[in-house]
PDB file of all heavy atoms in Angstrom:
ATOM      1  N   GLY A 379      20.896  75.970-110.770  1.00  0.00           N
ATOM      2  CA  GLY A 379      20.596  77.368-111.042  1.00  0.00           C
ATOM      3  C   GLY A 379      20.562  78.252-109.812  1.00  0.00           C
ATOM      4  O   GLY A 379      20.447  79.460-109.920  1.00  0.00           O
ATOM      5  N   GLN A 380      20.646  77.682-108.637  1.00  0.00           N
ATOM      6  CA  GLN A 380      20.624  78.466-107.406  1.00  0.00           C
ATOM      7  C   GLN A 380      22.051  78.816-106.999  1.00  0.00           C
ATOM      8  O   GLN A 380      22.962  78.013-107.163  1.00  0.00           O
ATOM      9  CB  GLN A 380      19.956  77.691-106.264  1.00  0.00           C
ATOM     10  CG  GLN A 380      18.491  77.424-106.484  1.00  0.00           C
ATOM     11  CD  GLN A 380      17.663  78.677-106.352  1.00  0.00           C
ATOM     12  OE1 GLN A 380      17.988  79.574-105.601  1.00  0.00           O
ATOM     13  NE2 GLN A 380      16.587  78.751-107.115  1.00  0.00           N
ATOM     14  N   ALA A 381      22.224  79.979-106.414  1.00  0.00           N
ATOM     15  CA  ALA A 381      23.550  80.420-106.007  1.00  0.00           C
ATOM     16  C   ALA A 381      23.943  79.880-104.633  1.00  0.00           C
ATOM     17  O   ALA A 381      25.106  79.787-104.321  1.00  0.00           O
ATOM     18  CB  ALA A 381      23.620  81.939-106.007  1.00  0.00           C
ATOM     19  N   GLN A 382      22.964  79.549-103.776  1.00  0.00           N
ATOM     20  CA  GLN A 382      23.262  79.104-102.421  1.00  0.00           C
ATOM     21  C   GLN A 382      22.409  77.906-102.047  1.00  0.00           C
ATOM     22  O   GLN A 382      21.339  77.694-102.602  1.00  0.00           O
ATOM     23  CB  GLN A 382      22.997  80.226-101.415  1.00  0.00           C
ATOM     24  CG  GLN A 382      23.874  81.431-101.610  1.00  0.00           C
ATOM     25  CD  GLN A 382      23.580  82.500-100.570  1.00  0.00           C
ATOM     26  OE1 GLN A 382      22.626  82.413 -99.817  1.00  0.00           O
ATOM     27  NE2 GLN A 382      24.415  83.514-100.537  1.00  0.00           N
ATOM     28  N   ALA A 383      22.893  77.155-101.061  1.00  0.00           N
ATOM     29  CA  ALA A 383      22.117  76.024-100.541  1.00  0.00           C
ATOM     30  C   ALA A 383      20.963  76.549 -99.709  1.00  0.00           C
ATOM     31  O   ALA A 383      21.034  77.639 -99.136  1.00  0.00           O
ATOM     32  CB  ALA A 383      23.003  75.126 -99.695  1.00  0.00           C
ATOM     33  N   ILE A 384      19.900  75.781 -99.634  1.00  0.00           N
ATOM     34  CA  ILE A 384      18.746  76.124 -98.819  1.00  0.00           C
ATOM     35  C   ILE A 384      18.874  75.361 -97.513  1.00  0.00           C
ATOM     36  O   ILE A 384      19.045  74.147 -97.515  1.00  0.00           O
ATOM     37  CB  ILE A 384      17.434  75.739 -99.526  1.00  0.00           C
ATOM     38  CG1 ILE A 384      17.341  76.484-100.857  1.00  0.00           C
ATOM     39  CG2 ILE A 384      16.230  76.030 -98.648  1.00  0.00           C
ATOM     40  CD1 ILE A 384      16.222  76.001-101.737  1.00  0.00           C
ATOM     41  N   SER A 385      18.777  76.060 -96.399  1.00  0.00           N
ATOM     42  CA  SER A 385      18.960  75.418 -95.098  1.00  0.00           C
ATOM     43  C   SER A 385      17.749  74.587 -94.706  1.00  0.00           C
ATOM     44  O   SER A 385      16.607  74.957 -94.976  1.00  0.00           O
ATOM     45  CB  SER A 385      19.194  76.473 -94.015  1.00  0.00           C
ATOM     46  OG  SER A 385      20.407  77.124 -94.231  1.00  0.00           O
ATOM     47  N   ALA A 386      18.018  73.476 -94.052  1.00  0.00           N
ATOM     48  CA  ALA A 386      16.961  72.665 -93.467  1.00  0.00           C
ATOM     49  C   ALA A 386      16.607  73.259 -92.114  1.00  0.00           C
ATOM     50  O   ALA A 386      17.467  73.777 -91.411  1.00  0.00           O
ATOM     51  CB  ALA A 386      17.447  71.227 -93.299  1.00  0.00           C
ATOM     52  N   GLN A 387      15.326  73.208 -91.749  1.00  0.00           N
ATOM     53  CA  GLN A 387      14.877  73.725 -90.457  1.00  0.00           C
ATOM     54  C   GLN A 387      15.411  72.838 -89.338  1.00  0.00           C
ATOM     55  O   GLN A 387      15.314  71.620 -89.407  1.00  0.00           O
ATOM     56  CB  GLN A 387      13.353  73.772 -90.394  1.00  0.00           C
ATOM     57  CG  GLN A 387      12.779  74.221 -89.066  1.00  0.00           C
ATOM     58  CD  GLN A 387      13.068  75.669 -88.734  1.00  0.00           C
ATOM     59  OE1 GLN A 387      12.877  76.541 -89.559  1.00  0.00           O
ATOM     60  NE2 GLN A 387      13.529  75.933 -87.530  1.00  0.00           N
ATOM     61  N   LYS A 388      15.964  73.449 -88.309  1.00  0.00           N
ATOM     62  CA  LYS A 388      16.533  72.733 -87.167  1.00  0.00           C
ATOM     63  C   LYS A 388      15.489  72.646 -86.059  1.00  0.00           C
ATOM     64  O   LYS A 388      14.837  73.641 -85.728  1.00  0.00           O
ATOM     65  CB  LYS A 388      17.770  73.479 -86.666  1.00  0.00           C
ATOM     66  CG  LYS A 388      18.447  72.863 -85.466  1.00  0.00           C
ATOM     67  CD  LYS A 388      19.651  73.714 -85.074  1.00  0.00           C
ATOM     68  CE  LYS A 388      20.382  73.183 -83.877  1.00  0.00           C
ATOM     69  NZ  LYS A 388      21.557  74.013 -83.541  1.00  0.00           N
ATOM     70  N   TYR A 389      15.343  71.462 -85.467  1.00  0.00           N
ATOM     71  CA  TYR A 389      14.429  71.233 -84.352  1.00  0.00           C
ATOM     72  C   TYR A 389      15.230  70.710 -83.165  1.00  0.00           C
ATOM     73  O   TYR A 389      16.156  69.926 -83.338  1.00  0.00           O
ATOM     74  CB  TYR A 389      13.342  70.222 -84.737  1.00  0.00           C
ATOM     75  CG  TYR A 389      12.343  70.802 -85.707  1.00  0.00           C
ATOM     76  CD1 TYR A 389      12.628  70.865 -87.065  1.00  0.00           C
ATOM     77  CD2 TYR A 389      11.135  71.312 -85.264  1.00  0.00           C
ATOM     78  CE1 TYR A 389      11.725  71.413 -87.959  1.00  0.00           C
ATOM     79  CE2 TYR A 389      10.218  71.867 -86.152  1.00  0.00           C
ATOM     80  CZ  TYR A 389      10.524  71.909 -87.498  1.00  0.00           C
ATOM     81  OH  TYR A 389       9.627  72.462 -88.389  1.00  0.00           O
ATOM     82  N   ILE A 390      14.839  71.132 -81.975  1.00  0.00           N
ATOM     83  CA  ILE A 390      15.544  70.750 -80.750  1.00  0.00           C
ATOM     84  C   ILE A 390      14.547  70.293 -79.697  1.00  0.00           C
ATOM     85  O   ILE A 390      13.360  70.590 -79.777  1.00  0.00           O
ATOM     86  CB  ILE A 390      16.369  71.929 -80.191  1.00  0.00           C
ATOM     87  CG1 ILE A 390      15.457  73.118 -79.871  1.00  0.00           C
ATOM     88  CG2 ILE A 390      17.481  72.323 -81.146  1.00  0.00           C
ATOM     89  CD1 ILE A 390      16.143  74.262 -79.134  1.00  0.00           C
ATOM     90  N   CYS A 391      15.066  69.610 -78.686  1.00  0.00           N
ATOM     91  CA  CYS A 391      14.243  69.206 -77.547  1.00  0.00           C
ATOM     92  C   CYS A 391      14.044  70.421 -76.647  1.00  0.00           C
ATOM     93  O   CYS A 391      15.016  71.074 -76.270  1.00  0.00           O
ATOM     94  CB  CYS A 391      14.918  68.083 -76.776  1.00  0.00           C
ATOM     95  SG  CYS A 391      14.007  67.617 -75.280  1.00  0.00           S
ATOM     96  N   PRO A 392      12.800  70.737 -76.277  1.00  0.00           N
ATOM     97  CA  PRO A 392      12.569  71.892 -75.413  1.00  0.00           C
ATOM     98  C   PRO A 392      12.988  71.657 -73.956  1.00  0.00           C
ATOM     99  O   PRO A 392      13.103  72.598 -73.188  1.00  0.00           O
ATOM    100  CB  PRO A 392      11.059  72.121 -75.511  1.00  0.00           C
ATOM    101  CG  PRO A 392      10.493  70.781 -75.841  1.00  0.00           C
ATOM    102  CD  PRO A 392      11.546  70.100 -76.685  1.00  0.00           C
ATOM    103  N   GLN A 393      13.252  70.404 -73.579  1.00  0.00           N
ATOM    104  CA  GLN A 393      13.592  70.102 -72.186  1.00  0.00           C
ATOM    105  C   GLN A 393      15.052  69.750 -71.968  1.00  0.00           C
ATOM    106  O   GLN A 393      15.454  69.447 -70.855  1.00  0.00           O
ATOM    107  CB  GLN A 393      12.719  68.945 -71.677  1.00  0.00           C
ATOM    108  CG  GLN A 393      11.273  69.314 -71.586  1.00  0.00           C
ATOM    109  CD  GLN A 393      10.460  68.212 -70.945  1.00  0.00           C
ATOM    110  OE1 GLN A 393      10.981  67.250 -70.413  1.00  0.00           O
ATOM    111  NE2 GLN A 393       9.153  68.351 -71.007  1.00  0.00           N
ATOM    112  N   GLY A 394      15.823  69.765 -73.005  1.00  0.00           N
ATOM    113  CA  GLY A 394      17.229  69.406 -72.837  1.00  0.00           C
ATOM    114  C   GLY A 394      18.032  69.768 -74.062  1.00  0.00           C
ATOM    115  O   GLY A 394      17.500  70.104 -75.100  1.00  0.00           O
ATOM    116  N   ASP A 395      19.325  69.680 -73.907  1.00  0.00           N
ATOM    117  CA  ASP A 395      20.229  70.030 -74.986  1.00  0.00           C
ATOM    118  C   ASP A 395      20.927  68.772 -75.473  1.00  0.00           C
ATOM    119  O   ASP A 395      22.143  68.697 -75.523  1.00  0.00           O
ATOM    120  CB  ASP A 395      21.244  71.062 -74.461  1.00  0.00           C
ATOM    121  CG  ASP A 395      22.064  71.672 -75.569  1.00  0.00           C
ATOM    122  OD1 ASP A 395      21.615  71.642 -76.733  1.00  0.00           O
ATOM    123  OD2 ASP A 395      23.162  72.171 -75.275  1.00  0.00           O
ATOM    124  N   ASP A 396      20.114  67.749 -75.831  1.00  0.00           N
ATOM    125  CA  ASP A 396      20.745  66.483 -76.185  1.00  0.00           C
ATOM    126  C   ASP A 396      20.191  65.834 -77.438  1.00  0.00           C
ATOM    127  O   ASP A 396      20.549  64.714 -77.752  1.00  0.00           O
ATOM    128  CB  ASP A 396      20.651  65.506 -75.016  1.00  0.00           C
ATOM    129  CG  ASP A 396      19.227  65.067 -74.736  1.00  0.00           C
ATOM    130  OD1 ASP A 396      18.281  65.704 -75.227  1.00  0.00           O
ATOM    131  OD2 ASP A 396      19.062  64.071 -74.020  1.00  0.00           O
ATOM    132  N   TYR A 397      19.325  66.535 -78.172  1.00  0.00           N
ATOM    133  CA  TYR A 397      18.728  65.920 -79.352  1.00  0.00           C
ATOM    134  C   TYR A 397      18.433  66.996 -80.374  1.00  0.00           C
ATOM    135  O   TYR A 397      17.771  67.991 -80.058  1.00  0.00           O
ATOM    136  CB  TYR A 397      17.438  65.187 -78.960  1.00  0.00           C
ATOM    137  CG  TYR A 397      16.934  64.207 -79.984  1.00  0.00           C
ATOM    138  CD1 TYR A 397      17.478  62.939 -80.081  1.00  0.00           C
ATOM    139  CD2 TYR A 397      15.904  64.538 -80.848  1.00  0.00           C
ATOM    140  CE1 TYR A 397      16.999  62.018 -81.006  1.00  0.00           C
ATOM    141  CE2 TYR A 397      15.415  63.620 -81.772  1.00  0.00           C
ATOM    142  CZ  TYR A 397      15.964  62.368 -81.844  1.00  0.00           C
ATOM    143  OH  TYR A 397      15.493  61.461 -82.755  1.00  0.00           O
ATOM    144  N   ILE A 398      18.945  66.830 -81.590  1.00  0.00           N
ATOM    145  CA  ILE A 398      18.713  67.755 -82.703  1.00  0.00           C
ATOM    146  C   ILE A 398      18.240  66.946 -83.895  1.00  0.00           C
ATOM    147  O   ILE A 398      18.749  65.859 -84.165  1.00  0.00           O
ATOM    148  CB  ILE A 398      20.001  68.507 -83.091  1.00  0.00           C
ATOM    149  CG1 ILE A 398      20.480  69.404 -81.963  1.00  0.00           C
ATOM    150  CG2 ILE A 398      19.783  69.332 -84.359  1.00  0.00           C
ATOM    151  CD1 ILE A 398      21.818  70.066 -82.236  1.00  0.00           C
ATOM    152  N   TRP A 399      17.291  67.511 -84.631  1.00  0.00           N
ATOM    153  CA  TRP A 399      16.805  66.893 -85.861  1.00  0.00           C
ATOM    154  C   TRP A 399      16.638  67.993 -86.887  1.00  0.00           C
ATOM    155  O   TRP A 399      16.208  69.103 -86.550  1.00  0.00           O
ATOM    156  CB  TRP A 399      15.480  66.184 -85.583  1.00  0.00           C
ATOM    157  CG  TRP A 399      14.819  65.589 -86.788  1.00  0.00           C
ATOM    158  CD1 TRP A 399      15.170  64.433 -87.418  1.00  0.00           C
ATOM    159  CD2 TRP A 399      13.682  66.100 -87.500  1.00  0.00           C
ATOM    160  NE1 TRP A 399      14.322  64.198 -88.464  1.00  0.00           N
ATOM    161  CE2 TRP A 399      13.396  65.208 -88.540  1.00  0.00           C
ATOM    162  CE3 TRP A 399      12.876  67.225 -87.347  1.00  0.00           C
ATOM    163  CZ2 TRP A 399      12.343  65.406 -89.436  1.00  0.00           C
ATOM    164  CZ3 TRP A 399      11.832  67.430 -88.222  1.00  0.00           C
ATOM    165  CH2 TRP A 399      11.572  66.517 -89.259  1.00  0.00           C
ATOM    166  N   TYR A 400      17.007  67.715 -88.141  1.00  0.00           N
ATOM    167  CA  TYR A 400      16.854  68.678 -89.227  1.00  0.00           C
ATOM    168  C   TYR A 400      15.760  68.194 -90.166  1.00  0.00           C
ATOM    169  O   TYR A 400      15.809  67.065 -90.645  1.00  0.00           O
ATOM    170  CB  TYR A 400      18.167  68.840 -89.997  1.00  0.00           C
ATOM    171  CG  TYR A 400      19.230  69.547 -89.202  1.00  0.00           C
ATOM    172  CD1 TYR A 400      20.108  68.841 -88.398  1.00  0.00           C
ATOM    173  CD2 TYR A 400      19.337  70.933 -89.239  1.00  0.00           C
ATOM    174  CE1 TYR A 400      21.082  69.484 -87.659  1.00  0.00           C
ATOM    175  CE2 TYR A 400      20.309  71.590 -88.504  1.00  0.00           C
ATOM    176  CZ  TYR A 400      21.174  70.852 -87.717  1.00  0.00           C
ATOM    177  OH  TYR A 400      22.135  71.514 -86.986  1.00  0.00           O
ATOM    178  N   ARG A 401      14.796  69.068 -90.439  1.00  0.00           N
ATOM    179  CA  ARG A 401      13.704  68.736 -91.359  1.00  0.00           C
ATOM    180  C   ARG A 401      14.217  68.973 -92.773  1.00  0.00           C
ATOM    181  O   ARG A 401      14.315  70.092 -93.223  1.00  0.00           O
ATOM    182  CB  ARG A 401      12.483  69.594 -91.071  1.00  0.00           C
ATOM    183  CG  ARG A 401      11.288  69.225 -91.922  1.00  0.00           C
ATOM    184  CD  ARG A 401      10.131  70.144 -91.615  1.00  0.00           C
ATOM    185  NE  ARG A 401       8.982  69.342 -91.263  1.00  0.00           N
ATOM    186  CZ  ARG A 401       7.855  69.840 -90.801  1.00  0.00           C
ATOM    187  NH1 ARG A 401       7.744  71.133 -90.588  1.00  0.00           N
ATOM    188  NH2 ARG A 401       6.861  69.051 -90.522  1.00  0.00           N
ATOM    189  N   ARG A 402      14.539  67.891 -93.446  1.00  0.00           N
ATOM    190  CA  ARG A 402      15.140  67.977 -94.774  1.00  0.00           C
ATOM    191  C   ARG A 402      14.096  67.917 -95.875  1.00  0.00           C
ATOM    192  O   ARG A 402      14.398  68.214 -97.023  1.00  0.00           O
ATOM    193  CB  ARG A 402      16.144  66.850 -94.947  1.00  0.00           C
ATOM    194  CG  ARG A 402      17.252  66.910 -93.910  1.00  0.00           C
ATOM    195  CD  ARG A 402      18.120  65.704 -93.983  1.00  0.00           C
ATOM    196  NE  ARG A 402      19.361  66.094 -94.624  1.00  0.00           N
ATOM    197  CZ  ARG A 402      20.221  65.243 -95.128  1.00  0.00           C
ATOM    198  NH1 ARG A 402      19.985  63.967 -95.083  1.00  0.00           N
ATOM    199  NH2 ARG A 402      21.320  65.669 -95.683  1.00  0.00           N
ATOM    200  N   VAL A 403      12.871  67.502 -95.530  1.00  0.00           N
ATOM    201  CA  VAL A 403      11.796  67.389 -96.506  1.00  0.00           C
ATOM    202  C   VAL A 403      10.555  68.056 -95.923  1.00  0.00           C
ATOM    203  O   VAL A 403      10.150  67.745 -94.794  1.00  0.00           O
ATOM    204  CB  VAL A 403      11.488  65.899 -96.806  1.00  0.00           C
ATOM    205  CG1 VAL A 403      10.327  65.766 -97.761  1.00  0.00           C
ATOM    206  CG2 VAL A 403      12.715  65.191 -97.336  1.00  0.00           C
ATOM    207  N   ILE A 404       9.958  68.973 -96.678  1.00  0.00           N
ATOM    208  CA  ILE A 404       8.717  69.612 -96.231  1.00  0.00           C
ATOM    209  C   ILE A 404       7.670  68.524 -96.024  1.00  0.00           C
ATOM    210  O   ILE A 404       7.517  67.629 -96.834  1.00  0.00           O
ATOM    211  CB  ILE A 404       8.219  70.633 -97.286  1.00  0.00           C
ATOM    212  CG1 ILE A 404       9.257  71.738 -97.489  1.00  0.00           C
ATOM    213  CG2 ILE A 404       6.869  71.215 -96.893  1.00  0.00           C
ATOM    214  CD1 ILE A 404       9.534  72.579 -96.270  1.00  0.00           C
ATOM    215  N   GLY A 405       6.971  68.593 -94.928  1.00  0.00           N
ATOM    216  CA  GLY A 405       5.947  67.604 -94.626  1.00  0.00           C
ATOM    217  C   GLY A 405       6.438  66.431 -93.799  1.00  0.00           C
ATOM    218  O   GLY A 405       5.635  65.593 -93.386  1.00  0.00           O
ATOM    219  N   ALA A 406       7.752  66.341 -93.563  1.00  0.00           N
ATOM    220  CA  ALA A 406       8.279  65.252 -92.726  1.00  0.00           C
ATOM    221  C   ALA A 406       7.746  65.414 -91.305  1.00  0.00           C
ATOM    222  O   ALA A 406       7.656  66.524 -90.788  1.00  0.00           O
ATOM    223  CB  ALA A 406       9.800  65.267 -92.722  1.00  0.00           C
ATOM    224  N   THR A 407       7.376  64.320 -90.686  1.00  0.00           N
ATOM    225  CA  THR A 407       6.833  64.349 -89.337  1.00  0.00           C
ATOM    226  C   THR A 407       7.918  64.713 -88.335  1.00  0.00           C
ATOM    227  O   THR A 407       9.002  64.133 -88.341  1.00  0.00           O
ATOM    228  CB  THR A 407       6.257  62.969 -88.970  1.00  0.00           C
ATOM    229  OG1 THR A 407       5.265  62.632 -89.928  1.00  0.00           O
ATOM    230  CG2 THR A 407       5.652  62.972 -87.580  1.00  0.00           C
TER     231      THR A 407
END
Side-chain angles (χ1 to χ4, degrees):
Q380 294 288 329
Q382 297 181 351
I384 300 170
S385 294
Q387 177 67 48
K388 179 180 179 179
Y389 288 81
I390 60 172
C391 176
Q393 294 186 10
D395 190 22
D396 68 345
Y397 196 81
I398 296 174
W399 176 77
Y400 290 90
R401 184 182 235 172
R402 300 173 105 196
V403 177
I404 299 297
T407 302

